[in-house]
Amino acid sequence: MNFQQLVLASHNAGKLKELQAMLGQSVQLRSIGEFSQVEPEETGLSFVENAILKARNAARISGLPALADDSGLAVDFLGGAPGIYSARYAEGKGDAANNAKLLEALKDVPQEQRGAQFVCVLALVRHADDPLPILCEGLWQGRILFEASGEHGFGYDPLFWVPERNCSSADLSPADKNQLSHRARAMALLRQRLGLA
């Protein structure tokens, strides 16, 4: 499959930059923001359902093949929460509020019960009604810290301990994070599927 351009079903500039860096220069990633400011309602009950829903919506609006990423943090002690609601965990009040709510939910939980994983599902559709979306999943195992650490990244990065690097995700340089993260793992699979690896 040869794609010159893909529309990314996200208005998040950080995500666009991160995914473009991972995808490489042979495919141009454009933001859905060029075509519409309206976000589709994420009515799915899983990362897979929401990724497909967002990709179909972006393809319908733009007329281009579309890539969607549905990602989040699944904390073992919380039964997988915040999960698909990660970005809206604190009623849409932003990263700082989400992090504060998570720390509060885990305030008396000992270190050995703070396991978590970042999850990323990438869905690529050739057109809005594509019956065979390409799906790639990446998991990044770690645990939740007791307080924020690091200056890089976004979202829950300051609270996510990366055992193989002995630091938080927000302590990693963007280049390092792009090698290790859930998104990097899903994107490596997608690059293989597209013949870019």
Side-chain angles (χ1 to χ4, degrees):
M1 277 167 289
N2 192 7
F3 296 102
Q4 304 292 300
Q5 287 188 358
L6 292 173
V7 63
L8 178 65
S10 173
H11 292 91
N12 183 323
K15 196 177 276 192
L16 179 73
K17 188 175 175 187
E18 200 172 272
L19 287 170
Q20 181 68 73
M22 290 178 203
L23 197 52
Q25 296 311 308
S26 57
V27 179
Q28 182 196 1
L29 209 50
R30 294 172 64 184
S31 168
I32 188 63
E34 293 180 41
F35 304 93
S36 169
Q37 292 307 311
V38 180
E39 296 268 8
E41 207 175 326
E42 293 181 33
T43 54
L45 296 177
S46 68
F47 292 108
V48 169
E49 290 170 288
N50 283 334
I52 292 172
L53 187 147
K54 290 192 282 189
R56 290 194 191 289
N57 179 69
R60 192 168 288 115
I61 288 168
S62 68
L64 291 169
L67 177 66
D69 148 85
D70 202 55
S71 311
L73 179 70
V75 179
D76 300 343
F77 185 82
L78 301 177
I84 60 169
Y85 306 106
S86 292
R88 311 184 291 281
Y89 190 44
E91 288 79 49
K93 294 183 183 131
D95 290 351
N98 287 340
N99 284 325
K101 183 173 178 177
L102 182 61
L103 286 175
E104 180 61 27
L106 296 175
K107 74 174 178 208
D108 298 320
V109 178
Q111 183 167 299
E112 61 275 10
Q113 292 178 38
R114 296 171 80 94
Q117 51 270 318
F118 272 128
V119 180
C120 171
V121 173
L122 293 174
L124 179 85
V125 296
R126 289 164 273 271
H127 52 83
D129 301 315
D130 190 340
L132 194 63
I134 295 172
L135 295 169
C136 299
E137 180 189 75
L139 297 177
W140 193 16
Q141 306 289 341
R143 67 179 158 76
I144 304 302
L145 292 165
F146 289 91
E147 58 184 36
S149 172
E151 302 297 318
H152 301 292
F154 54 90
Y156 297 95
D157 285 339
L159 297 182
F160 188 77
W161 182 255
V162 181
E164 63 263 42
R165 289 300 173 87
N166 223 23
C167 66
S168 84
S169 174
D171 287 317
L172 295 169
S173 70
D176 271 354
K177 184 184 171 195
N178 286 354
Q179 297 288 310
L180 296 169
S181 76
H182 50 310
R183 238 176 241 117
R185 292 163 199 230
M187 183 57 84
L189 294 174
L190 183 65
R191 286 176 57 87
Q192 283 175 8
R193 293 284 295 274
L194 297 180
L196 300 172

